Structures are given as C-alpha cells and as structure tokens.
Amino acid sequence: MKKRKIPLRKSVVSGEMLPKKELLRITRSKEGEVAIDPTGKKPGRGAYIAIEPEEAQKAWEHKILDRVLETELSDEFYQELLDYVSHQKARRELFGNE
C-alpha cells in the first residue's frame, strides 16, 4: 500500500517544519480581519503556530503575528489565541490526537 504524504508547514514562531495537524492557522482576510482558523481552509493570508501555549506567548511578546500578517493585533486577540491554544493542548492530552 502506498504511504500518504504528510503535509508540512512552518511555524512562524519557532521556524520549525511540522505536520499541518500539529499547527494552528491564523488568517487575515482581504478586509484586514484576523481570525483563528481551526479548519485551515478559510481564505486569506495564513500563518501557522504550533499548538503550544509557550509559542502563543512568545508570538504575543514579540508581536510576531503583527509582522507576518502585516497588521496591528490587539492584546485581546493574543489573549484569545493563548486561551484557544491552551484549551486545544489540554484536549489533545486528554483525548489523544484525533
């Protein structure tokens, strides 16, 4: 049986190439609206970060997503991102990888 290719993406925080399922996509639409994209299918410019609270915290401290998505992000967005990543990590630890 042929082995399936696992899509890899680069985390904008660590610069590490990881399987797409282990990353979270953040998108900026043409209107400039930034959103967390759990499906990975929303249209717009995308940036990936690992589902690790430390990476989300580092992205917040260094305003990495502001630079990558070429927009100004609020502290509320970064707090929402940190909460979402923490929740997803806890879910993975409880239920395993889906």
Side-chain angles (χ1 to χ4, degrees):
M1 192 160 155
K2 190 176 180 186
K3 197 172 182 184
R4 290 191 57 159
K5 184 178 164 216
I6 299 169
L8 297 174
R9 299 291 183 269
K10 185 185 264 191
S11 167
V12 295
V13 178
S14 67
E16 212 177 331
M17 292 295 282
L18 297 166
K20 190 175 174 183
K21 285 189 174 195
E22 293 178 19
L23 297 167
L24 175 65
R25 186 169 187 249
I26 293 100
T27 58
R28 178 182 50 93
S29 67
K30 285 184 179 175
E31 293 79 37
E33 189 178 316
V34 177
I36 295 170
D37 180 12
T39 63
K41 295 183 170 136
K42 281 187 178 179
R45 173 114 174 104
Y48 292 88
I49 69 162
I51 300 177
E52 293 291 335
E54 300 83 38
E55 276 214 14
Q57 188 66 45
K58 190 174 178 186
W60 188 357
E61 288 168 6
H62 298 285
K63 301 282 188 191
I64 292 170
L65 292 173
D66 290 41
R67 279 196 311 270
V68 173
L69 297 174
E70 298 169 352
T71 186
E72 186 96 13
L73 296 174
S74 66
D75 284 342
E76 289 83 30
F77 176 81
Y78 278 110
Q79 186 60 55
E80 180 187 341
L81 176 65
L82 186 59
D83 294 343
Y84 182 85
V85 168
S86 300
H87 177 75
Q88 289 301 315
K89 183 168 173 70
R91 281 194 64 191
R92 285 186 176 200
E93 287 171 359
L94 276 176
F95 303 115
N97 276 347
E98 289 120 41

